Amino acid sequence: DGNDNRPSPMEQPPKPVRIPIAELRAIAHGAGFDTRGMERQDLERIAASVRASSPPASAPQPANQEPMTQKQDVSMRAAAERTAHEKLEKEQAMAKEEEEARRRKLNEDRIAAENMKRQMEEEEKRMAEELAADLRRRHEEEQRQRMAEQHAAEMKRKQEEELSRRLAEQQAAEMKRKQEEDH
């Protein structure tokens, strides 16, 4: 069908050739740019601008070409400065984020250390309280045992006194009975 609006394979525009990064840097450097830290897209913009500003060898140069080139040069330099400034801002933002992450980590470490210290202190306090309670129990048990021993000794003494008294009464009664028998 002749009404097909698609271009034939022969009419399709050729794919743009990708210029090596080294060549892009050389073009930008030749135009007076410091290419350190520039991305490929920045270098491609500068190369395109340089190609657009340089007239073909056969074309005559108009009288007003020079001011246009200077404008483009200023524009390209401004774009490069913006790119460098944006990169610097990104680096500063990343550095700030890293510093924040470092601060958060330090704070988390400090809190963890404080928690560990508090837990250790609580454990030491608990152990000291358990030891004190154990010592109190032992002391009370020793006191009860001493009291029981004293009570037992007192009971034994009273029993011995009672036994001695009974024995003395028995002996006295026996002597009295013997005396009454002897008379």
Side-chain angles (χ1 to χ4, degrees):
D1 188 14
N3 293 337
D4 195 0
N5 288 339
R6 289 180 298 174
S8 69
M10 298 298 263
E11 296 174 9
Q12 286 184 354
K15 289 185 180 177
V17 177
R18 191 170 167 127
I19 301 171
I21 193 91
E23 192 174 326
L24 290 172
R25 287 190 187 282
I27 292 169
H29 187 70
F33 288 96
D34 181 6
T35 61
R36 285 179 290 188
M38 285 191 182
E39 302 289 329
R40 171 178 275 281
Q41 65 188 32
D42 302 324
L43 295 169
E44 286 173 345
R45 265 198 309 264
I46 293 170
S49 176
V50 167
R51 269 189 250 118
S53 68
S54 61
S58 61
Q61 288 194 5
N64 65 352
Q65 181 68 28
E66 190 64 31
M68 184 64 173
T69 303
Q70 287 177 349
K71 282 183 186 178
Q72 288 176 342
D73 186 44
V74 168
S75 174
M76 287 189 310
R77 287 183 191 276
E81 286 177 14
R82 273 195 307 277
T83 301
H85 182 70
E86 288 170 1
K87 182 178 179 188
L88 179 64
E89 285 178 342
K90 284 180 187 177
E91 289 172 354
Q92 288 174 340
M94 286 176 59
K96 186 176 180 180
E97 287 176 17
E98 289 171 359
E99 178 63 21
E100 270 303 309
R102 188 184 67 76
R103 263 195 224 120
R104 277 194 303 272
K105 175 81 170 100
L106 285 174
N107 194 37
E108 290 169 0
D109 290 349
R110 181 186 54 78
I111 290 171
E114 288 174 356
N115 288 339
M116 184 179 288
K117 180 181 176 186
R118 185 174 51 250
Q119 288 173 346
M120 288 175 63
E121 288 171 349
E122 288 171 357
E123 181 66 16
E124 287 174 1
K125 181 180 176 185
R126 185 188 60 76
M127 289 175 66
E129 288 172 352
E130 285 179 3
L131 181 62
D134 190 41
L135 288 174
R136 272 194 308 276
R137 280 192 298 274
R138 281 190 206 165
H139 179 70
E140 290 169 358
E141 183 61 32
E142 288 171 357
Q143 209 171 12
R144 275 194 296 273
Q145 191 172 355
R146 274 195 306 276
M147 299 235 347
E149 288 171 358
Q150 286 174 350
H151 180 68
E154 181 67 21
M155 292 297 290
K156 185 176 179 182
R157 186 185 60 76
K158 284 183 179 179
Q159 286 175 350
E160 288 174 353
E161 284 178 1
E162 180 67 22
L163 187 60
S164 292
R165 187 184 58 78
R166 282 187 190 168
L167 191 57
E169 284 177 357
Q170 217 174 23
Q171 285 175 348
E174 188 67 30
M175 280 177 64
K176 187 175 180 185
R177 191 179 45 86
K178 273 188 183 184
Q179 279 179 355
E180 285 177 2
E181 280 180 9
D182 285 341
H183 288 31

